[in-house]
Amino acid sequence: MDQRKVHPIFNVLLVAVVLFGLYIGQSLLVPLVMAIVVWYLIIGISSQIGRIKINQKQIPKWLRKTLSILVVVSFFWFIGGLVVSNLEEFHKVAPDYNNRLQTIITQISTEYEIPSFQEVSDKLDLAHYAGIILNSSLSFLGSLFVVIFYVIFLMIEQGIFKKKLDLIFRNREQRFHFSQTVKRIDLTMKKYISVKSLLSLLVSVCAYITFESFGLDFAVLWAFLAFLLNFIPFIGSFIAIVLPTLLSILQFGSPAITISMFIILNTVQVIVGNYLEPKMVGKSLNLSPLVVVLSLAFWGALWGVAGMFLCVPITVALMIILSQFESTRTAAILLSAGNDPALDVVKVNDDRPKSQ
């Protein structure tokens, strides 16, 4: 049998096995990938703390990492408690909002003679959906403990990773190429997660101020959702605007307030998404917009909402890895925004080992 004819079939089977493994192993893999993202966030905070000097001396590295972990855990614990409290309150008043919504739909259905619209209204139960979201939020907060557990071990592993690398790659040239790939992924992830977190926090604060100024119910809840949803490309910012806007219709019943809130929220998202983010992130991701959309759909279908949050970091890392092998370099270029991902890796560090 011609050996070359076996390879394509083998590759297809290998991809199928990997996809199946990703799907059935999502309960283990999703927290692990989330832990890696949180780990990069902690590293970013640690580097910022490192700029603080006491008596012209830097804070010790171990203390910076400890403080960074405490900042991240405290943030999610505090905000998570507020969000759960808001969700519980929303669950209580959801029947009132449901009645208002049905009244509005009935008026529209009667005025414009759309009977199917009324059928949709009869099936709506905001209290039911609020209960589902509340249970999902509690489950998410519970999974954070698993994520933090992984993060701690990633911190421990970081200290001995270089030693393992030296033992695995005896050849200096191979070790150089592998370390370049890891370094490129490391630098890209640090920049993306740090900048994205900062901009998401900015969007969240602006949204919270807007909600409070209009007197919108559950301002903390909607602001936190704006923070989280900003990590989902394209559709996340849209959902973060639409949900509180719809609530404002039920709460105020005033088109002027709803339109004003929509314009302010949309302006913030446009400024952050179209001006600040491209300026701060630049072309470091090197991902095609079409690839971002496809990865959003793919990882969303594979891992649900968690996949939507993680699609960009995963795809960037995959592109950089694929660019290091001649057989998969074409796939890496197709994923890119037009710049050669392999060249990006080489630019990280030109300290190529000298042949002896």
Side-chain angles (χ1 to χ4, degrees):
M1 183 182 291
D2 190 352
Q3 189 69 19
R4 288 175 296 179
K5 293 182 180 180
V6 178
H7 289 166
I9 299 175
F10 175 78
N11 290 335
V12 170
L13 289 175
L14 181 61
V15 171
V17 170
V18 169
L19 291 177
F20 181 70
L22 289 172
Y23 179 75
I24 63 172
Q26 59 181 299
S27 59
L28 174 66
L29 294 173
V30 169
L32 179 59
V33 178
M34 288 179 65
I36 294 172
V37 172
V38 173
W39 176 53
Y40 276 114
L41 178 60
I42 289 172
I43 292 174
I45 295 173
S46 178
S47 65
Q48 295 301 316
I49 296 175
R51 296 183 179 182
I52 302 172
K53 292 185 178 181
I54 301 174
N55 295 328
Q56 301 301 317
K57 293 183 179 180
Q58 278 190 329
I59 298 174
K61 194 172 182 180
W62 67 268
L63 183 57
R64 296 203 305 264
K65 287 185 177 181
T66 303
L67 291 173
S68 302
I69 293 174
L70 290 175
V71 167
V72 172
V73 172
S74 299
F75 173 78
F76 281 107
W77 183 266
F78 176 72
I79 297 297
L82 289 176
V83 169
V84 169
S85 176
N86 273 251
L87 280 170
E88 289 175 344
E89 187 63 29
F90 182 72
H91 186 260
K92 293 177 183 177
V93 300
D96 295 333
Y97 282 114
N98 203 75
N99 292 334
R100 295 179 202 173
L101 179 60
Q102 289 185 346
T103 300
I104 293 173
I105 292 177
T106 300
Q107 290 175 350
I108 296 174
S109 177
T110 303
E111 184 173 350
Y112 295 98
E113 298 180 352
I114 312 176
S116 59
F117 212 39
Q118 184 62 44
E119 293 177 6
V120 173
S121 171
D122 295 336
K123 296 178 181 179
L124 287 175
D125 187 356
L126 294 182
H128 173 69
Y129 294 123
I132 294 175
I133 297 173
L134 177 60
N135 292 332
S136 300
S137 301
L138 292 172
S139 176
F140 173 75
L141 288 175
S143 66
L144 281 179
F145 287 102
V146 179
V147 172
I148 297 300
F149 181 76
Y150 281 138
V151 168
I152 293 171
F153 278 91
L154 284 171
M155 292 284 188
I156 297 172
E157 189 69 20
Q158 183 184 12
I160 59 175
F161 182 72
K162 190 178 183 304
K163 293 180 180 179
K164 289 185 176 182
L165 194 63
D166 292 337
L167 292 173
I168 294 172
F169 296 101
R170 299 291 185 180
N171 185 289
R172 296 181 63 191
E173 188 73 19
Q174 290 180 345
R175 185 166 68 247
F176 169 78
H177 283 294
F178 182 82
S179 63
Q180 289 291 88
T181 304
V182 173
K183 190 176 292 185
R184 177 58 182 165
I185 295 173
D186 187 53
L187 292 175
T188 305
M189 291 300 103
K190 282 180 183 176
K191 186 169 185 179
Y192 171 75
I193 293 169
S194 299
V195 171
K196 196 69 175 177
S197 299
L198 180 62
L199 293 177
S200 296
L201 185 60
L202 175 62
V203 169
S204 179
V205 171
C206 292
Y208 178 76
I209 294 172
T210 303
F211 299 147
E212 282 292 340
S213 62
F214 281 100
L216 186 71
D217 292 341
F218 315 111
V220 172
L221 173 62
W222 302 120
F224 183 67
L225 282 177
F227 173 82
L228 290 180
L229 291 171
N230 200 54
F231 283 88
I232 300 179
F234 305 120
I235 63 171
S237 56
F238 173 76
I239 297 173
I241 294 173
V242 169
L243 289 179
T245 300
L246 291 176
L247 181 70
S248 71
I249 297 174
L250 300 180
Q251 181 178 338
F252 304 116
S254 170
I257 294 178
T258 298
I259 293 172
S260 300
M261 184 181 296
F262 177 83
I263 291 173
I264 294 173
L265 294 175
N266 195 56
T267 301
V268 171
Q269 291 285 4
V270 168
I271 292 173
V272 171
N274 295 350
Y275 177 71
L276 292 179
E277 187 167 334
K279 189 173 182 179
M280 295 175 73
V281 177
K283 297 181 179 180
S284 60
L285 293 182
N286 191 22
L287 273 185
S288 163
L290 176 61
V291 169
V292 174
V293 174
L294 293 176
S295 67
L296 176 67
F298 173 78
W299 289 105
L302 194 66
W303 284 353
V305 177
M308 294 182 182
F309 279 102
L310 302 170
C311 66
V312 171
I314 292 174
T315 307
V316 170
L318 180 64
M319 177 187 66
I320 294 174
I321 292 170
L322 292 176
S323 69
Q324 297 309 292
F325 304 96
E326 193 61 34
S327 59
T328 56
R329 185 168 172 270
T330 301
I333 294 174
L334 290 175
L335 292 175
S336 73
N339 300 321
D340 192 340
L343 294 179
D344 286 342
V345 176
V346 174
K347 290 177 184 177
V348 173
N349 187 355
D350 290 329
D351 298 330
R352 187 178 295 273
K354 304 296 187 296
S355 56
Q356 297 181 358

